[in-house]
Amino acid sequence: MTTNPALTAGRCVIVTTRESPMQAQIMRLSGHLRDDYALECDFAYLEDVFSSSDEKVEQAAFDALVHHLIHAQLAVIDLCVTAAAFYVTGIRHALSNAPNLMMAPNSGTATVANSRFTNTQHTYIDVSKPDWLNSIADTLVYLNQPQIAEYQSDLRATGAFRVSPREVAFEKSRLHPVAWQLNASGNTVAQSAGPKIVLWEHKIQDTSDFDVWVNSENTFMEMARFWDSSVSAQIRKLGAVRRGALNDESFKDALGLALAEKVGTRSRVPIGTVFMTRTDEASTLSKRNHVNYVAHLAAVEPNAVGDGFSSGGEVTQCVSNVFETIQQERLKMRGRRRDLKSVLFPLIGSGVGGAHPAFVAHQMVIGLRDAIALSQKDPKSLNREQRAEQAALNLNAISKIGIIAFKQSHLDFLRRELANNDFIEVPLPSGDDA
C-alpha cells in the first residue's frame, strides 16, 4: 500500500498479492492506465491486510484498503486469492458506485464472478485470452465522465440499504500549510512561476483574503435557499445584508438580487457561463471574508427526473471561463480601488452535482496547469489565437488561486494531482497564516 500521504486515496487502487501469478498482467495494466488514461495506481497487497502478526498493523492496512475502495475512481481486483478477493469486491460494491475491473486467471473464475456481480461498469477479464487488454475499454469510458455516482452496483440497486462513507472532519478550518507553483523551468520569459495554488481545508465561510469567490451554480442561475447546506446557500447568506437592528432577522438578499439582475430574462444558460457580481460592502461576505466579487459559474444541470442536480462536466473549460470573466471585469474597473488578484474555487460540481471529487480535482488541476503555462510563454512564440487566449486569461495578474478541500479525501486528491502535474511545493504567499 502506498504510504506517502500525498499519494493516498488514489484515483485507482489495485488489490492483489505480491506472489500473484498475474503480476505480469497487472503491471501491464497499470502501465496502460498510466500511459493511456493518465490514471495513477496505488497497490493494496492482501498479505498486509490479512496476514500480519501485528494486529494494529493489520487493522491500519485494512482501514487504508477500505478508504481506497470508497474513494478510488477505479478498483482493479485480482481474483487469484478467491475468498479474499470476493470479500473485497463486496465491500467495494456496498460502498461505492464507481466501476471495477476484476482480473481472472482463466474463464472458469470469470464465469463464477459474472454469476453474481453483473453490471455494465463492472468488467471481469480473462487474462489468459490474447486480447484481454482490449476488453476493458467499455469500463474505462466511465473514467472520463464526472457523474460516476449515477451508475449503481447490483448490490446498491436492490434498495435494501443505503451506505454513506463517513470521513473524520477536519478539526478546524485553516489554510493548508503548503502552497504549490507550476515549475517554470524551460520558460522563455522572466522566471516568474505565476500564481500560487493554496488549499483551504473545511468550510468556505471561514476563509478570507480572496478577492473573488467562485460559486458553482446551476444552469438556471438560481442560488440555493438560505436554509440549505450547500456552498451556494452559504455564499448567499454571507452576501445578504441585515435590514435593521441586531435582533432583526430580516435581510436584503443582496447577492441573489445582483445575480438576478445580471441574468435578466434568460431562463437558462449553457454550462460554463459566468456572471460577476459585486459584494455589498455592508454584507458579512465583504466585511468579514473580504470578498469583492462573486463569480457565479453554471456548473451543474437540474436532473430531468426527480430532485437534485448532475455535474455538467467541462471542468477545464469552466476554470478558463472564470479567469476570462475576471479579466473582463478587471478591464471595466480600471482606476477603482478594488482589485482582483486572488480567486477561491470549490471542487466544481462535486457537491450536490454528484461528480466524483477525484475526477474534478484532476480536471481542475489540468486546467490550471495549462492556463498558467500559457500565461508564462513569450507572446512572440505564440500564434495569433494563442496570444488572444493568453490576453483573455491574463493569469499574470493573479497572485493566488485557492481551492476548497471540504473533506480529507478532497485534500488527498488535490495534493496528488498537483504533485503529478508539474507543481512544486513553495512557501505560502506573504501574509497568509496557516
Side-chain angles (χ1 to χ4, degrees), residues 97 145-151 215-219 224 229-232 271 297-304 307-313 315 346-357 359-360 410:
N97 287 346
Q145 300 179 16
Q147 214 64 34
I148 286 180
E150 74 182 63
Y151 306 109
N215 171 32
S216 182
E217 203 49 80
N218 59 75
T219 52
S229 59
S230 66
V231 170
S232 175
I271 290 292
L297 168 66
V300 300
E301 297 269 15
N303 291 333
D307 298 328
F309 301 90
S310 295
S311 169
V315 176
L347 278 171
I348 298 170
S350 66
V352 295
H356 198 296
F359 171 89
V360 176
H410 299 174

Side-chain angles (χ1 to χ4, degrees), residues 148-185:
I148 286 180
E150 74 182 63
Y151 306 109
Q152 290 199 10
S153 69
D154 54 352
L155 190 60
R156 293 170 69 96
T158 64
F161 59 89
R162 180 177 180 180
V163 179
S164 298
R166 183 176 62 188
E167 292 186 60
V168 177
F170 289 113
E171 291 184 2
K172 61 179 181 179
S173 296
R174 66 162 190 169
L175 192 66
H176 187 71
V178 174
W180 285 263
Q181 250 175 345
L182 189 65
N183 190 346
S185 60

Side-chain angles (χ1 to χ4, degrees), residues 104-286:
N106 53 60
S107 58
T109 308
T111 300
V112 172
N114 280 314
S115 70
R116 175 56 275 160
F117 298 108
T118 54
N119 213 317
T120 54
Q121 77 271 30
H122 305 299
T123 300
Y124 308 88
I125 47 179
D126 176 4
V127 299
S128 65
K129 295 181 178 179
D131 63 343
W132 67 269
L133 197 59
N134 297 327
S135 66
I136 67 176
D138 289 343
T139 292
L140 297 185
V141 72
Y142 291 98
L143 299 177
N144 296 321
Q145 300 179 16
Q147 214 64 34
I148 286 180
E150 74 182 63
Y151 306 109
Q152 290 199 10
S153 69
D154 54 352
L155 190 60
R156 293 170 69 96
T158 64
F161 59 89
R162 180 177 180 180
V163 179
S164 298
R166 183 176 62 188
E167 292 186 60
V168 177
F170 289 113
E171 291 184 2
K172 61 179 181 179
S173 296
R174 66 162 190 169
L175 192 66
H176 187 71
V178 174
W180 285 263
Q181 250 175 345
L182 189 65
N183 190 346
S185 60
N187 286 345
T188 56
V189 293
Q191 294 298 300
S192 167
K196 292 185 178 181
I197 310 295
V198 298
L199 306 179
W200 181 264
E201 298 176 6
H202 207 23
K203 298 178 180 178
I204 189 173
Q205 56 266 40
D206 293 335
T207 188
S208 61
D209 297 325
F210 288 93
D211 301 323
V212 180
W213 279 10
V214 178
N215 171 32
S216 182
E217 203 49 80
N218 59 75
T219 52
F220 283 91
M221 280 292 165
E222 295 175 348
M223 299 189 76
R225 299 168 297 182
F226 281 102
W227 53 87
D228 288 346
S229 59
S230 66
V231 170
S232 175
Q234 295 297 327
I235 294 176
R236 187 176 188 178
K237 284 186 284 189
L238 292 170
V241 177
R242 190 182 297 273
R243 291 187 183 276
L246 290 177
N247 60 352
D248 186 348
E249 294 299 325
S250 61
F251 293 86
K252 173 188 174 184
D253 182 17
L255 205 56
L257 292 171
L259 176 59
E261 184 177 351
K262 289 276 187 178
V263 175
T265 59
R266 300 176 184 88
S267 60
R268 199 167 187 175
V269 297
I271 290 292
T273 302
V274 184
F275 293 104
M276 292 279 287
T277 61
R278 291 190 192 183
T279 56
D280 193 303
E281 293 186 358
S283 68
T284 301
L285 195 58
S286 176

Side-chain angles (χ1 to χ4, degrees), residues 257-417:
L257 292 171
L259 176 59
E261 184 177 351
K262 289 276 187 178
V263 175
T265 59
R266 300 176 184 88
S267 60
R268 199 167 187 175
V269 297
I271 290 292
T273 302
V274 184
F275 293 104
M276 292 279 287
T277 61
R278 291 190 192 183
T279 56
D280 193 303
E281 293 186 358
S283 68
T284 301
L285 195 58
S286 176
K287 293 192 295 184
R288 189 187 74 188
N289 301 102
H290 308 147
V291 178
N292 294 332
Y293 280 80
V294 174
H296 304 270
L297 168 66
V300 300
E301 297 269 15
N303 291 333
V305 179
D307 298 328
F309 301 90
S310 295
S311 169
E314 301 182 29
V315 176
T316 55
Q317 188 61 53
C318 285
V319 169
S320 295
N321 290 357
V322 167
F323 289 119
E324 288 186 11
T325 307
I326 289 173
Q327 173 61 5
Q328 292 166 11
E329 194 66 33
R330 186 183 291 114
L331 293 174
K332 288 190 232 176
M333 55 183 281
R334 283 179 177 170
R336 300 176 191 169
R337 69 178 179 83
R338 295 189 182 199
D339 207 348
L340 306 174
K341 294 183 178 179
S342 55
V343 188
L344 180 66
F345 284 88
L347 278 171
I348 298 170
S350 66
V352 295
H356 198 296
F359 171 89
V360 176
H362 177 68
Q363 294 296 314
M364 287 188 68
V365 171
I366 292 296
L368 290 171
R369 182 198 65 189
D370 293 347
I372 294 171
L374 177 63
S375 71
Q376 295 177 2
K377 292 185 181 297
D378 186 341
K380 295 179 182 178
S381 68
L382 305 177
N383 60 37
R384 180 181 299 178
E385 184 177 318
Q386 290 171 325
R387 286 197 298 272
E389 184 181 359
Q390 185 187 61
L393 292 170
N394 193 18
L395 260 70
N396 290 325
I398 301 289
S399 60
K400 181 173 64 175
I401 298 170
I403 307 175
I404 294 286
F406 183 68
K407 300 178 180 180
Q408 179 65 48
S409 60
H410 299 174
L411 179 64
D412 292 341
F413 296 145
L414 287 164
R415 293 172 65 196
R416 176 170 197 149
E417 293 298 337

